[in-house]
Amino acid sequence: MTDTDADRELRVSKIRNGTVIDHLAAGQALNVLALLGIDGSGGESVSIGMNVPSDKLATKDIVKVEDRELSQSEVDVLAVISPEATINIVREYEVIEKKRIDRPEAVSGVLACPNRNCITNADEPVETRFAVLDDGLRCEYCGEIVREDEIATHLDVA
């Protein structure tokens, strides 16, 4: 690598402990932050790379979150919005676990149903639940379909 190539290389510092979400579909990093409830007000240390060159995906996004590991429900939704993603758990600057994510059969409580007449939108104590299809999601209460490219717009995270 020449000096000019080294100067152009993406440099993001390593995290001591936390999670690195790699191989996200380009443009999904901000949706991942929304999914994780990270808006900057909580003081989390976060690094984001968007539209980074990738041998595997042409371009990808990367999210590094210090001192945070993902819950299974967060991983499940991540698998739906970016099925090629990988999750690396980091401790003391070393990757101790690297895993590919699997698409779940269903996701609960993290997406809003777009059907205004769905029971989940009627101020009832009912958590949303969507069956995962090959090309999207289906509300298990009303049957409304959310196409894969619409999922990010229906994230329902506080």
Side-chain angles (χ1 to χ4, degrees):
M1 187 179 305
T2 67
D3 287 339
T4 52
D5 288 340
D7 291 340
R8 294 181 191 153
E9 190 71 25
L10 176 68
R11 291 189 184 102
V12 178
S13 62
K14 289 186 173 188
I15 60 174
R16 181 177 186 151
N17 296 300
T19 303
V20 176
I21 307 165
D22 199 358
H23 301 103
L24 287 166
Q28 291 298 328
L30 298 179
N31 291 327
V32 169
L33 292 180
L35 168 68
L36 300 179
I38 296 173
D39 63 5
S41 65
E44 300 93 342
S45 178
V46 177
S47 299
I48 302 171
M50 296 180 74
N51 295 308
V52 176
S54 167
D55 293 335
K56 187 174 167 185
L57 299 172
T59 58
K60 66 179 179 179
D61 287 0
I62 303 168
V63 175
K64 295 182 177 187
V65 184
E66 189 89 35
D67 296 323
R68 171 88 184 264
E69 291 187 20
L70 306 185
S71 70
Q72 189 58 52
S73 64
E74 291 168 332
V75 171
D76 288 348
V77 175
L78 181 61
V80 172
I81 65 173
S82 191
E84 298 296 318
T86 58
I87 297 175
N88 301 313
I89 305 300
V90 178
R91 298 218 176 96
E92 293 302 323
Y93 301 103
E94 297 294 327
V95 174
I96 63 150
E97 183 180 357
K98 182 173 186 163
K99 57 185 173 183
R100 295 196 46 78
I101 54 179
D102 296 316
R103 285 176 70 101
E105 292 183 15
V107 292
S108 299
V110 290
L111 297 165
C113 183
N115 178 356
R116 294 182 319 174
N117 296 321
C118 182
I119 187 73
T120 62
N121 291 320
D123 290 329
E124 296 291 335
V126 179
E127 184 177 69
T128 60
R129 182 169 170 85
F130 289 85
V132 176
L133 311 173
D134 287 341
D135 57 353
L137 305 171
R138 182 184 65 246
C139 176
E140 292 196 354
Y141 294 99
C142 71
E144 184 81 10
I145 300 292
V146 178
R147 292 190 334 253
E148 197 167 278
D149 61 347
E150 299 172 327
I151 293 170
T153 63
H154 296 290
L155 285 175
D156 184 25
V157 290

